[in-house]
Amino acid sequence: MYDNEEDNESPWTYISLCGEPTVYEGLRFAKDLIFANFILRATIQYIPLPHNVRHSLCLVIGSFLLYHNVGGALVWIVGLTTGSYILIILLSLVTKRLRGLLLLVTVILFLLTCEVYIMNPKMWQQIRGIQMIAAMKIISVAMELDRDLFKKMLNPIEFGGYILCPANCILGPWISFHTYNQYLNVKFLSRRWLKIIGVNLILSMFFLVLSNCVVPWYIDDEMPKWLVAYRDAQSFRMSHYFVSSMSIVSMVSAGFGLTNDCHSELQVTKPLFIELPRSLVQVVVFWNIPMHQWLKNYVFKTCQPCGQFTAIFVTYTVSSLLHGLNFQFSAVLLSIGTFSYVEYNLRNKFASALEVCCLANPCVKQCDHKYKKNSLLAVVTNTLFSVITVIHLAYLGVMFEASFSVQESGYSYFHTISKWENLNFFSHGLAAFLYVIYLMM
Amino acid sequence: MKCPWLFVFTVLCLRCEAAGNKPRRGRGSMWWGIAKAGEPNNLSPISPGVLYMDPAVHATLRRKQRRLARENPGVLAAVAKGASMAVAECQHQFKYRRWNCSTRNFLRGKNLFGKIVDRGCRETAFIYAITSAGVTHAVARACAEGSIESCTCDYSHIDRVPHRTRAAAAANVRVWKWGGCSDNIGFGFRFSREFVDTGERGKTLREKMNLHNNEAGRAHVQTEMRQECKCHGMSGSCTVKTCWMRLPSFRSVGDALKDRFDGASRVMVPNVDLETPAQRNDAAPHRAPRRDRYRFQLRPHNPDHKSPGVKDLVYLESSPGFCEKNPRLGIPGTHGRACNDTSIGVDGCDLMCCGRGYRTETMFVVERCNCTFHWCCEVKCKLCRTEKVVHTCL
């Protein structure tokens, strides 16, 4: 029996009902971000200011922007900045080599303490992203001090300006101190500058509407659970693309990330390479390129003397600890680590055994395998691995679909496990199976 | 010079007629006929301009309602949609009951639901609530879709409108700084009060009952409204929140009202404050501010029961039997109704046919079957001929 009268909510009605307030709120958020950064750029551009005044301008505007967005929780971000600066100074008196490591440990401990003991979960979820960016900046400064990349010790204003810079203190992306310093110079700005901002703003709104309205709608709840999982994961990914393109908007509107002829040189994420992935390894790299560079530069390279596997393991651990002491993030990140490790090695063996171009990363120049990337065998194997990656992504991303109260106050252990139980821990099984194949080959 | 007089005279006549024929019913219920105005037998298709000009529609509206329709272009189509939605929902909810919310062939001067609304029984209470809910829902939706010109998304007033904050509090959602056009429930609510409650001055007990049930219908739409939110931020944090309000599906409103129907409270004249204020009002008819008509408390018939809440339905007298045909009350009886021979509930043949027995027939029905979903987005079905056993009451 069919109830035809049920069909009273047409898709377009739904999308427009959801889309309009969504875009409105997205733009309202963007408005403050762009406004603050415009002021920064305009001041730097038109008033010749000494070096330190520029940094302090960054510091002040950034603090205002943060206060406007998170209110009283600003105290924690300022606290983290001041505390770590003092610690760096004190450590500099004692050691010249372990500052990076000690700062890494302290900052992470601080974040964990905040999360577990001090803050209410809602507030923590609100400022977690901001704290992460700040922590990454602090650690990178400490590491670079160890590597003697600074002529002299940073003064507090430089340090504060770098951490609280309005261009990237809220949504990222991470940039190193030297890049930041360089971006603060007067730039050539043309109409293209506004165009880049406009294009990225439209792009971010597009992803926002996709994430909020379109993706959750286009696969129905009654469909097979894997499709639903794919949908939920995709909605989360879209949200990430929104944040990433919005972060570009904020960077560019402060005049950051522009080349000398006013082209954007920033790339935070590559949606196409994630939606149609070649391998999980690539997804990890392209998910958040600046963060990947940070992890590679400051964690992986530091640990490399201890061996490849340890280095990878430590990198993923640091990455998950930066996200807070949360079972979900640790589970997801460590799973990604394992899955991509298995995939990487398996594809390596495949490539050498079958002489196929099917490595996790595409061959850089001339592929020296017998079957080139356009041969049938290569296409088939790569497609197969792509499909596996898509499944992994659905499996891992489904975690982030949750009721708003959960999103707002953090994911629990049971939430994670129940989501995975619903999918019968399929991807873990699949990874184990692939590992067995790898061992047997 | 003559025309205005003629108009007033006509209106007065309409009033006399309404008051004379239906002494006990609240007087604002003729507009229900608008639900049938868009049907093929009734002249014109629904489009805002045409609908307003449609004389059949015009005749169902009171003067104030016409003024409202004139002042808010596009609203009449929404009202019509809301009314037909309400009728459909009522018939869905009462599909398997002795009273099945049947509607008359709508003629001018007759009530859409028949004479049952002359009695202050549960069924009447439900009709009032569901129609008022229908209007609220449809107008709010039309407003959000932008098809009512006078209801604009006035962003500058977003944080100021007090009504919405109350709506949010009632809906038990956190007070959020609203964005966008999604909360037009406020407009729907206010419009429904103006339009639906016209003529219910709240003086007699019956008018109080109607007002209460209309309010209950609106309250259900308002409280079922859901706030949907989503967090965005670096790696799943919640730096940016986006929220929007979503009207409930009208089905869920109907379900909720049906629950209230089953637990409706019978009310009676409050022993203190009905007569005296009524008299006082008669003495000074226009002194009391309009909003005050909603400020009354009905007393439960049984003093041990709780007083009815805002969302409860209230009625005054017990329902008539719906088994046999009763022309005086416009009841068609359950003769010829389909029933379910295995059920022991109201839809079962024993209860539905009131013990008169039933006839069993076998018929062949062609219906869609083996439906498959094709990517994307199409459902393909085959047509199957199935045998069906149908029971009808004698």
Side-chain angles (χ1 to χ4, degrees), chain B residues 152-187:
Chain B
T152 47
C153 311
D154 192 352
Y155 293 122
S156 62
H157 291 207
I158 276 165
D159 297 320
R160 206 202 56 189
V161 184
H163 185 82
R164 195 234 338 276
T165 336
R166 232 182 53 213
N172 208 4
V173 290
R174 293 182 323 111
V175 177
W176 179 266
K177 282 188 175 176
W178 306 100
C181 242
S182 52
D183 71 323
N184 295 299
I185 182 73
F187 183 82

Side-chain angles (χ1 to χ4, degrees), chain B residues 299-367:
Chain B
R299 291 253 173 131
H301 190 256
N302 182 342
D304 296 340
H305 290 173
K306 271 202 314 184
S307 322
V310 187
K311 290 165 82 180
D312 289 317
L313 298 187
V314 299
Y315 63 100
L316 303 175
E317 49 191 324
S318 52
S319 302
F322 291 102
C323 285
E324 298 301 330
K325 196 173 164 69
N326 184 344
R328 200 169 57 80
L329 291 174
I331 294 167
T334 61
H335 303 276
R337 291 277 304 279
C339 61
N340 178 356
D341 65 334
T342 50
S343 162
I344 52 161
V346 210
D347 59 329
C349 288
D350 287 343
L351 287 175
M352 178 67 89
C353 307
C354 310
R356 291 187 306 261
Y358 56 94
R359 190 170 55 228
T360 303
E361 284 171 302
T362 312
M363 38 167 58
F364 288 99
V365 197
V366 177
E367 57 180 33

Side-chain angles (χ1 to χ4, degrees), chain A residues 207-208 210-212 215 233-243 275, chain B residues 232:
Chain A
F207 284 129
L208 181 62
L210 279 183
S211 167
N212 271 10
V215 175
Q234 193 173 43
S235 169
F236 175 70
R237 294 200 296 271
M238 293 297 164
S239 162
H240 173 72
Y241 306 147
F242 156 69
V243 171
E275 291 307 308
Chain B
H232 304 274

Side-chain angles (χ1 to χ4, degrees), chain B residues 34 37-38 42-58 61 69 73-77 80:
Chain B
I34 206 175
N42 258 318
L43 305 173
S44 49
I46 296 187
S47 73
V50 180
L51 190 64
Y52 175 66
M53 304 305 288
D54 187 340
V57 170
H58 217 82
L61 299 183
V75 89
L76 215 47

Side-chain angles (χ1 to χ4, degrees), chain A residues 398-407 411 415 419, chain B residues 229-230:
Chain A
V398 73
M399 315 272 78
F400 298 97
E401 197 279 330
S403 69
F404 179 65
S405 57
V406 173
Q407 290 182 31
Y411 304 91
H415 171 77
K419 287 276 183 188
Chain B
C229 288
K230 205 171 156 80

